[in-house]
Amino acid sequence: MKRKRRQDPRQTTFEFRPTGRGGARPGAGRPRVRKSRVPHRTREDIARGCPLLVTLRVLNGVPALRRARFVRAFRETLRKAAERPGFRVVHYSVQDDHAHFLVEADDKLSLANGMKSLGARFARCVNRVYERAGRVLATRFHHVVKRTPTEVRNALAYVLLNARKHYRERRGRKPPVVLDGASSGLWFDGWNGRSPPRLGKYADAFRRCEVAEPRTWLLETGWRRIGLVDPAEVPGTWGGRRAATA
C-alpha cells in the first residue's frame, strides 16, 4: 500500500466578525481607578492618651461645605456623634472640601468605630443639606497620632486656625484676625488673651456646645506648657507663630 506524502503545515486564516462584545473600542478594558490619598494598609496601633488629628475629604463636585446652612446642620449632627464609648471629638474645623478633627480614642477599634459613625453622619448631612444622593467621601479617613505637648499644641492651632492657612494660600496676604465660625473655636479656652471678633453669619448656630470635653492629659493640660494659641497665627506656614506678631 502506497503511503501518502505528509503535507507541510500551512497557516490558516480566520475571518473576524464583530459581535458587539469585546475588541478595541472607546472605554474598553478595566476602568481606571483614581489612586487613593490614604493607602489601604493596616493602621498603626494607637497609644492610649495620645490625641489624633483626623481628616475627611469629599469628592470633587460636592458643593462647598463652608456655608452657613451646612455648618448649622453639621453642628446638630456632631452633637450626636461627638462622644461614644472610647471615642471623643474634641475640636474640628470645616473647609470647602475637607474637615479636620482632633479626637481621642482608647484604641484602634474605638477609633475605627467612632470614625465610621462620624463619617456616615457627615455624609448624610451633606446629602440632606444640598439635596443630593450618592457617595460623599473621597477616601477613608486619614489620621496622625500626636504624642508630645508640642505636637498637640501645633495640632490645636492647625485645626482651629485652618481657615487662616487657606486664606493666605489663596490670596497671598495675611488674613484678618477673626474667629472661624466653621470651627469649634468658640468653645476653646486656650486663646492667649487676644480675643477674636464676634461671629458673623454663623452666630445663630452657637446655641450649645457640640464637641466633647478632652480627657487625655496631652489635650487637656500638657499642651499648655508650650504656650497658648494666638488667634493671629497662620498654621502650616514657615514661622506660623512668628507671623502672629509680624
Side-chain angles (χ1 to χ4, degrees):
M1 183 175 180
K2 189 176 181 180
R3 181 177 297 180
K4 292 183 178 180
R5 184 178 179 182
R6 186 174 180 179
Q7 295 181 351
D8 294 333
R10 295 180 181 179
Q11 179 69 42
T12 57
T13 58
F14 294 91
E15 182 181 358
F16 177 72
R17 297 179 181 179
T19 61
R21 300 178 62 183
R25 66 189 187 281
R30 183 177 180 178
R32 293 184 178 180
V33 178
R34 182 181 178 183
K35 187 176 181 180
S36 174
R37 293 190 178 189
V38 185
H40 280 260
R41 300 171 183 167
T42 301
R43 296 187 186 274
E44 63 177 320
D45 291 332
I46 297 171
R48 190 163 187 171
C50 293
L52 302 99
L53 174 59
V54 182
T55 302
L56 290 177
R57 293 189 178 276
V58 300
L59 292 167
N60 293 334
V62 173
L65 305 178
R66 284 179 64 84
R67 296 180 181 175
R69 57 175 176 156
F70 175 77
V71 172
R72 286 193 295 266
F74 179 63
R75 290 187 191 282
E76 294 297 326
T77 295
L78 185 57
R79 289 189 184 102
K80 303 173 184 178
E83 188 165 6
R84 53 182 291 138
F87 178 83
R88 292 166 297 281
V89 179
V90 179
H91 283 295
Y92 72 92
S93 68
V94 177
Q95 305 306 316
D96 282 339
D97 61 354
H98 63 280
H100 296 295
F101 302 89
L102 262 177
V103 307
E104 296 174 335
D106 290 350
D107 50 43
K108 187 163 60 173
L109 180 60
S110 298
L111 174 65
N113 290 338
M115 288 306 303
K116 182 178 180 180
S117 173
L118 178 61
R121 290 177 182 275
F122 182 88
R124 286 198 296 267
C125 185
V126 170
N127 284 341
R128 182 174 66 253
V129 169
Y130 294 112
E131 299 179 350
R132 64 185 298 278
R135 184 179 171 187
V136 171
L137 299 180
T139 183
R140 66 178 187 162
F141 69 89
H142 174 266
H143 79 279
V144 180
V145 181
K146 302 300 178 180
R147 304 177 185 274
T148 67
T150 299
E151 289 180 348
V152 174
R153 194 265 178 208
N154 291 341
L156 281 165
Y158 186 82
V159 171
L160 298 176
L161 302 174
N162 199 253
R164 295 176 58 78
K165 169 182 176 291
H166 292 291
Y167 183 100
R168 186 157 190 165
E169 288 175 349
R170 289 194 305 267
R171 307 193 182 188
R173 65 176 186 269
K174 187 177 178 180
V177 182
V178 295
L179 180 63
D180 183 12
S183 76
S184 56
L186 181 67
W187 314 114
F188 181 56
D189 64 354
W191 299 117
N192 73 346
R194 178 163 40 170
S195 300
R198 292 183 178 181
L199 295 168
K201 61 182 179 179
Y202 302 99
D204 62 340
F206 289 94
R207 297 187 180 92
R208 55 191 177 91
C209 186
E210 69 276 9
V211 290
E213 291 288 335
R215 295 183 189 175
T216 60
W217 176 82
L218 280 171
L219 197 49
E220 184 178 11
T221 305
W223 70 269
R224 297 174 189 268
R225 295 183 175 185
I226 310 303
L228 299 181
V229 178
D230 193 320
E233 291 180 29
V234 181
T237 58
W238 183 87
R241 296 180 67 177
R242 194 175 303 170
T245 56

